[in-house]
Amino acid sequence: MNKRHILLIGLMGTGKTTVGKRLARVLERPWIDTDQFLEGKWGYSIADYFAKYGEEAFRDEETAVLQTLLTDSPPSVITTGGGIVLREVNRERMKKHGFVIHLDADPQTIAKRLKNDQTRPLLQGDLHNRIKQIYRERQGKYDFADLRIDTSRLTVDEVLKEILANV
Ligand code: S3P
């Protein structure tokens, strides 16, 4: 284990937050979540921010906070919003400052996990179709990761075990 950050990336509903929290506890490192950090800074939710300022403004905020966390935090487990990989600069910075883990899942599994979720602005409308569309649009964007785990048929414990065998 070296001193860099461990970063979890992947689409919404792939388990980043659940796994990241547990991983941080096991490794005795701080856990930081980019979305949670931003909500704390603004004092309101991601959904409200999207409604007020739109996606591009959100991406600017997300990019800035990632940069700060990567350079100013002690070695941490950092979980990220699913769209953070859309900007090349974020992909480059994550790769430079951390061991990057891509949690993946098939669109049907994601839809099942998120069927009661009201917090994600990009999933308004027909959930199955939106997920399939985003899955397609993001194809390849997570491939820069050092490790990829398909969580579709794994328990949280199994995902953790796989990560701990590789970090
Ligand atoms: C987004 C994912 C969300 C959040 C925002 C946009 C995305 O985070 O950042 O709703 O573009 O995939 P999670 O991946 O934690 O749901």
Side-chain angles (χ1 to χ4, degrees):
M1 164 81 58
N2 60 33
K3 288 216 172 298
R4 294 185 304 163
H5 301 295
I6 294 175
L7 289 132
L8 297 191
I9 61 167
L11 278 184
M12 299 171 263
T14 51
K16 291 166 292 180
T17 309
T18 311
V19 169
K21 251 194 244 182
R22 290 268 306 273
L23 181 65
R25 218 177 304 142
V26 173
L27 296 176
E28 300 184 337
R29 286 184 181 214
W31 166 61
I32 313 169
D33 180 77
T34 56
D35 282 342
Q36 214 180 67
F37 191 92
L38 286 171
E39 289 182 332
K41 176 183 155 196
W42 302 324
Y44 48 86
S45 69
I46 302 281
D48 287 345
Y49 189 91
F50 262 71
K52 248 184 154 157
Y53 303 108
E55 181 169 349
E56 270 316 288
F58 172 75
R59 299 295 172 210
D60 289 343
E61 289 272 324
E62 180 177 62
T63 299
V65 86
L66 176 69
Q67 160 86 325
T68 307
L69 292 175
L70 287 172
T71 52
D72 296 359
S73 308
S76 303
V77 173
I78 302 177
T79 54
T80 57
I84 206 154
V85 298
L86 290 171
R87 292 199 179 169
E88 192 182 356
V89 66
N90 292 340
R91 301 198 297 270
E92 284 170 4
R93 284 174 181 158
M94 288 192 277
K95 188 85 182 167
K96 179 171 172 210
H97 292 281
F99 183 78
V100 183
I101 302 170
H102 172 203
L103 297 189
D104 202 0
D106 56 66
Q108 293 89 327
T109 302
I110 294 176
K112 219 190 291 170
R113 289 179 185 163
L114 298 183
K115 68 176 185 299
N116 295 319
D117 183 88
Q118 302 296 325
T119 65
R120 290 167 168 99
L122 293 182
L123 297 183
Q124 299 316 302
D126 179 337
L127 180 66
H128 280 80
N129 279 333
R130 284 296 294 140
I131 290 169
K132 267 194 235 152
Q133 187 189 356
I134 293 174
Y135 196 90
R136 257 197 319 270
E137 284 168 5
R138 305 242 174 113
Q139 207 97 70
K141 290 281 195 297
Y142 300 100
D143 289 355
F144 72 100
D146 299 291
L147 175 67
R148 173 184 169 272
I149 302 173
D150 185 345
T151 68
S152 306
R153 273 149 216 91
L154 298 181
T155 63
V156 174
D157 280 341
E158 288 168 335
V159 176
L160 271 177
K161 203 168 151 202
E162 177 83 12
I163 293 176
L164 291 170
N166 284 281
V167 289

